[in-house]
Amino acid sequence: MEPLNWNCTIAHGITAFSYFGIPIVIGIFFAKTKATIPSKFWPAFILSGGFVLFCGFHHFLAIFEPYMALSLLHLAVLDLMAFISLSALLYLMPTVYQIVEAIAKSQEDNRELQRSQQMQRLFLDQGPFLAYIKDEQSRMLYYNQEIQSRFSVDSQHWLGKTDSEVLTDAEEARRVMENDQIVLKALRPLKLVEKIKIPSNDQPCYWLSFKFPFSDGATGAYRIGGISIDITESIEAQRSLTDLNRQLEEKTLELEVKKQELIYLSDMADMLYSCESEDEVYQVVALTCSKLFPNMSGSIYIIANSKNYVQINCIWGGERSSKEIFLQSECWALRRGKLNLLSPRNSGLVCSHLIQPVSGAHLCVPLFGEGEVVGVLHIYALEKISPEDQQITEIIARTLGFALNNLSIKQRLTYDNLRDGMTQLFNQSYMQTITEQRLAEAERSGEPLSIIFLDIDNFKFYNSRYGHLTANIVLQGLAKLLLKSIRSFDIACRWGGEEFVIVMPKMTLETLRKRVEQIRVDVEQMQLKDGDQTLESITASFGIAVSEPGITVKDFLNRANQAMLEAKRTGKNRVIEYVDTYN
């Protein structure tokens, strides 16, 4: 029986060792994995553990059973083991389903966790953005498929490497690693725009990057997570928009300049229309040019009436670069009848009227009046004259030519409207207007204004004897005599027919008598000829009057006319001054 006893003893020992080892191994497992047991399963866990331990005691005591009788301790252990086993069985029977259900739920949670982790991995791997994880030294721990595709690397090539080892531009790599360290030091997310070149593209790409720190649960070390979105198109679009805005601002400024130029040209045209003399015309053009070309100088030259030379009439700007007087042949614009430009960029013809040494840019534009060249507009700039400035200069030249034409026509019309066509003396309408002005001036100054009314004696007989054409010669001769006999500021006019009026300011009555008497004698002694035929002399009757404060033009003329009629009535060929007895 010895072998059987030893066999039984060894079997009980191994079984006891196993029962005691199972709780120890489970305890070590829970200690190492830090796993926890739900509180509702603690009774079942304790009862099961007690059952296992007591089973172990049972087999441990059974080792000594062949050598001794059944002891009270062994019996107590058996009884307690039976009670615990029955209690564990009775308790576990209703909770078996819950345990199975909990295990199934745990397995489902594990599968859901795996699916979630898989979805997250797919999201990071297949998303249209760069995703990566780095350690505290900026070494790459993970990067998604977008990075692999963009930078043409496989899934293992960059692992464990820093940005300075994988990026081609050292400066870009330094900036990226500096941003990583900022995230680690602040332990706060960082949002920024990074510029990183891609090997397959010469142009840099712009990335909107979100970097954030997190703790690795397994090691406790900090990691850097990052997601970068390509915003190169947005940046380029923004730059394009910025360029368009800049171009729009430039165009707006150009339009403002053009608008101001149009205002200047429009003002010039309005002022030229109102000019009464050539000097005013030149002043208006000079003022406009100084506004339009503030950094240039220029001058206006007009061909002399003799056509032998050209002389300066107006100048503006700080520097004169042309002669004051020169021959027409010395200016290519006058010789050709078209503009001539000389500049460093345009080696044109050099006009001889330019002052030596010639430098800068020169533009000569001919002025046309009444179908022929009448002068030249000269513009001088230190560096260049732009095509726009050339166009403006041509516009000014054409406008100046039109203004000179209009002024000439205006002056002719004014002369014709104010003058008598036959004698070229002022007409009756102008005489009434100028007399009214002179009366107002005399009243303000307190000085007298004198008026002479004269009529040729027996002119109807003279007209009948010699005819109308010869009589006109007499009228013209008398007009010339009157112009020679009066002062430059005296005004002579033909009142109508054979009647004439002379207005003489600032003359006393005594001086007036002497002056008119001399004119009467000169008329009487005047010799008139019609070709070789000597005409009969003429005489004239004169009436004179001196102004008084408040007198009207009509009354003033009537007084002189009454005095002239009194001279006619009393014998003709005499001078009579107005007195109140005529009324």
Side-chain angles (χ1 to χ4, degrees), residues 301-313:
Y301 293 87
I302 299 299
I303 299 174
N305 293 331
S306 63
K307 307 295 183 181
N308 294 328
Y309 62 91
V310 182
Q311 64 181 0
I312 192 168
N313 281 63

Side-chain angles (χ1 to χ4, degrees), residues 366-433:
L367 303 176
F368 289 91
E370 297 183 351
E372 62 178 2
V373 179
V374 297
V376 63
L377 174 62
H378 173 246
I379 300 292
Y380 166 68
L382 292 175
E383 296 182 358
K384 66 176 183 178
I385 299 176
S386 67
E388 292 78 11
D389 291 339
Q390 294 180 37
Q391 293 177 357
I392 294 175
T393 305
E394 289 186 88
I395 293 174
I396 293 174
R398 286 197 297 269
T399 307
L400 175 56
F402 293 149
L404 293 175
N405 278 343
N406 292 337
L407 181 62
S408 176
I409 295 172
K410 185 178 180 180
Q411 289 176 340
R412 287 199 301 268
L413 290 176
T414 301
Y415 185 88
D416 293 342
N417 289 334
L418 300 181
R419 300 282 179 171
D420 173 62
M422 179 181 298
T423 63
Q424 300 303 308
L425 299 179
F426 290 110
N427 56 29
Q428 182 181 141
S429 175
Y430 179 74
M431 173 57 65
Q432 290 177 328
T433 301

Side-chain angles (χ1 to χ4, degrees), residues 20-247:
F20 288 139
I22 289 173
I24 294 173
V25 172
I26 293 175
I28 293 173
F29 171 77
F30 275 96
K32 290 293 185 180
T33 60
K34 297 181 181 180
T36 59
I37 300 174
S39 59
K40 65 180 180 178
F41 296 129
W42 270 108
F45 181 76
I46 294 172
L47 289 173
S48 299
F51 171 74
V52 173
L53 288 174
F54 277 103
C55 286
F57 276 115
H58 167 70
H59 288 285
F60 178 73
L61 294 175
I63 296 173
F64 306 98
E65 186 176 353
Y67 305 101
M68 62 181 65
L70 184 63
S71 65
L72 293 176
L73 177 60
H74 191 183
L75 181 61
V77 170
L78 289 175
D79 292 339
L80 185 58
M81 183 178 66
F83 173 75
I84 292 175
S85 299
L86 181 61
S87 299
L89 177 62
L90 294 175
Y91 181 80
L92 289 175
M93 286 179 64
T95 59
V96 168
Y97 177 75
Q98 295 181 10
I99 294 173
V100 173
E101 193 177 52
I103 294 172
K105 186 176 184 305
S106 177
Q107 292 175 345
E108 182 63 27
D109 289 343
N110 288 333
R111 287 194 295 271
E112 186 63 30
L113 178 60
Q114 291 177 355
R115 284 197 298 271
S116 177
Q117 291 176 344
Q118 185 179 13
M119 291 296 292
Q120 292 176 6
R121 188 64 177 261
L122 289 174
F123 172 77
L124 293 176
D125 275 345
Q126 300 183 10
F129 48 78
L130 308 185
Y132 51 87
I133 298 175
K134 301 178 184 178
D135 64 10
E136 295 178 348
Q137 286 74 39
S138 292
R139 291 183 297 229
M140 197 72 72
L141 301 178
Y142 161 80
Y143 51 93
N144 67 350
Q145 293 181 6
E146 184 69 13
I147 291 181
Q148 300 172 32
S149 175
R150 289 288 188 121
F151 290 89
S152 301
V153 295
D154 56 36
S155 59
Q156 302 296 321
H157 185 68
W158 280 6
L159 292 181
K161 296 181 180 180
T162 63
D163 294 283
S164 60
E165 297 177 279
V166 298
L167 296 180
T168 56
D169 192 314
E171 182 62 24
E172 290 177 1
R174 185 188 62 79
R175 287 197 300 266
V176 171
M177 295 176 69
E178 285 180 353
N179 294 331
D180 294 344
Q181 295 305 311
I182 291 174
V183 173
L184 287 176
K185 289 180 180 179
L187 292 179
R188 295 180 58 183
L190 178 64
K191 176 183 176 182
L192 72 160
V193 175
E194 294 179 310
K195 183 176 75 171
I196 300 176
K197 291 182 179 178
I198 295 178
S200 60
N201 189 355
D202 295 334
Q203 299 298 324
C205 292
Y206 295 88
W207 306 87
L208 177 60
S209 298
F210 299 88
K211 298 186 176 184
F212 52 91
F214 66 94
S215 178
D216 189 341
T219 63
Y222 279 106
R223 301 289 185 246
I224 303 169
I227 292 178
S228 299
I229 302 172
D230 189 352
I231 58 171
T232 304
E233 291 184 0
S234 299
I235 295 293
E236 294 297 332
Q238 185 177 3
R239 286 181 175 176
S240 298
L241 183 60
T242 302
D243 291 341
L244 288 175
N245 288 334
R246 178 179 53 78
Q247 293 175 10

Side-chain angles (χ1 to χ4, degrees), residues 334-577:
L334 292 176
R335 292 166 64 178
R336 300 167 62 207
K338 58 192 301 185
L339 69 84
N340 182 62
L341 174 63
L342 174 65
S343 68
R345 298 182 180 180
N346 180 32
S347 54
L349 299 171
V350 181
C351 293
S352 300
H353 63 86
L354 299 179
I355 297 176
Q356 299 294 328
V358 179
S359 62
H362 298 264
L363 177 65
C364 294
V365 183
L367 303 176
F368 289 91
E370 297 183 351
E372 62 178 2
V373 179
V374 297
V376 63
L377 174 62
H378 173 246
I379 300 292
Y380 166 68
L382 292 175
E383 296 182 358
K384 66 176 183 178
I385 299 176
S386 67
E388 292 78 11
D389 291 339
Q390 294 180 37
Q391 293 177 357
I392 294 175
T393 305
E394 289 186 88
I395 293 174
I396 293 174
R398 286 197 297 269
T399 307
L400 175 56
F402 293 149
L404 293 175
N405 278 343
N406 292 337
L407 181 62
S408 176
I409 295 172
K410 185 178 180 180
Q411 289 176 340
R412 287 199 301 268
L413 290 176
T414 301
Y415 185 88
D416 293 342
N417 289 334
L418 300 181
R419 300 282 179 171
D420 173 62
M422 179 181 298
T423 63
Q424 300 303 308
L425 299 179
F426 290 110
N427 56 29
Q428 182 181 141
S429 175
Y430 179 74
M431 173 57 65
Q432 290 177 328
T433 301
I434 197 64
T435 302
E436 184 175 3
Q437 294 179 7
R438 294 292 184 266
L439 281 174
E441 292 173 0
E443 190 164 350
R444 283 196 303 271
S445 64
E447 296 180 345
L449 178 69
S450 302
I451 190 168
I452 305 169
F453 208 116
L454 66 96
D455 182 87
I456 300 176
D457 297 328
N458 304 315
F459 189 70
K460 290 183 179 179
F461 169 78
Y462 198 94
N463 199 15
S464 299
R465 178 180 177 182
Y466 291 105
H468 292 292
L469 295 179
T470 302
N472 289 342
I473 294 174
V474 174
L475 294 176
Q476 292 171 351
L478 177 58
K480 292 179 180 179
L481 174 64
L482 293 178
L483 291 175
K484 291 180 180 179
S485 303
I486 62 176
R487 298 167 298 181
S488 60
F489 52 85
D490 294 334
I491 302 168
C493 82
R494 182 186 179 193
W495 188 254
E498 64 273 22
E499 295 178 327
F500 296 83
V501 175
I502 304 173
V503 177
M504 292 185 167
K506 302 178 181 180
M507 184 174 290
T508 63
L509 181 60
E510 184 64 27
T511 305
L512 177 64
R513 290 183 184 135
K514 294 179 180 180
R515 179 64 59 85
V516 177
E517 179 61 27
Q518 183 61 49
I519 294 175
R520 185 195 67 77
V521 173
D522 292 341
V523 171
E524 186 178 19
Q525 296 177 355
M526 180 176 59
Q527 294 183 355
L528 299 172
K529 288 186 177 182
D530 181 9
D532 296 334
Q533 182 184 7
T534 301
L535 303 177
E536 184 179 343
S537 299
I538 61 171
T539 61
S541 300
F542 295 80
I544 60 176
V546 180
S547 65
E548 295 177 356
I551 191 172
T552 64
V553 174
K554 181 179 179 181
D555 291 342
F556 195 30
L557 289 169
N558 282 337
R559 288 184 178 186
N561 185 49
Q562 291 178 28
M564 183 271 296
L565 293 176
E566 181 65 16
K568 288 275 191 184
R569 189 182 65 81
T570 57
K572 303 177 182 178
N573 191 23
R574 63 186 59 193
V575 179
I576 300 294
E577 64 182 83

